[in-house]
Amino acid sequence: VQLVESGGGLVQAGGSLRLSCAASGSTFSIDVMGWYRQAPGKQRELLATITSGGGATKYADSVKGRFTISRDNGKNTMYLQMNSLKPEDTAVYYCNAVFVMLPTYRSLEVWGQGTLVTVSS
C-alpha cells in the first residue's frame, strides 16, 4: 500500500492551494487520515485529521479557519484545501493514514513522500 501526495507548489501570500493524497495497493480500508508538515529546522507538525467516515475532523490552531481537510472514500483520496496562505506555511506537507489490511484486519501506518509548499511574501 502507498500514499502519493500532489498539488504542492509556489503561491503568493493570501493565495490558495489544494493538496491531494491518493491511496493505492492491496485490499484495504482506511481508518483515520491526517496531514502533517515539516518546515526547515523544525519538527513535523500535525495539522489536521479526519475519521474514516469523514464525520469528525480536528485542526491545529495554526491552521484552524484557513485549512479544510476532507476525503472521498470512493476514490481513496484525502484533500487539504489551504486558503489565506502565509509565508510561515512554507513546508513539506505529508499525508498519513492508518490502513486496515483485509482479510487479516492488521493495521498499518503509512506516510506519503511529501509535497513542497512555498508561500512567497
Side-chain angles (χ1 to χ4, degrees):
V1 294
Q2 64 176 351
L3 297 172
V4 178
E5 298 111 334
S6 60
L10 174 64
V11 63
Q12 287 189 333
S16 298
L17 280 176
R18 189 175 83 152
L19 305 183
S20 298
C21 172
S24 63
S26 302
T27 306
F28 58 84
S29 65
I30 305 176
D31 196 355
V32 65
M33 302 184 77
W35 286 98
Y36 293 70
R37 69 184 178 191
Q38 188 165 20
K42 294 188 177 182
Q43 290 187 332
R44 191 168 294 190
E45 174 189 15
L46 173 61
L47 301 178
T49 59
I50 186 166
T51 55
S52 57
T57 58
K58 292 184 179 180
Y59 296 91
D61 288 342
S62 58
V63 303
K64 196 174 295 182
R66 299 188 299 125
F67 291 9
T68 302
I69 189 171
S70 62
R71 63 192 284 176
D72 183 337
N73 289 333
K75 296 181 179 179
N76 289 323
T77 301
M78 175 178 64
Y79 305 96
L80 186 68
Q81 178 67 42
M82 306 186 294
N83 299 328
S84 303
L85 283 162
K86 306 173 183 179
E88 52 263 44
D89 293 319
T90 295
V92 178
Y93 285 69
Y94 298 90
C95 64
N96 172 277
V98 176
F99 288 78
V100 179
M101 308 308 298
L102 301 175
T104 61
Y105 291 91
R106 180 174 68 94
S107 294
L108 180 65
E109 183 179 21
V110 178
W111 290 89
Q113 83 286 356
T115 185
L116 178 62
V117 172
T118 303
V119 184
S120 62
S121 57

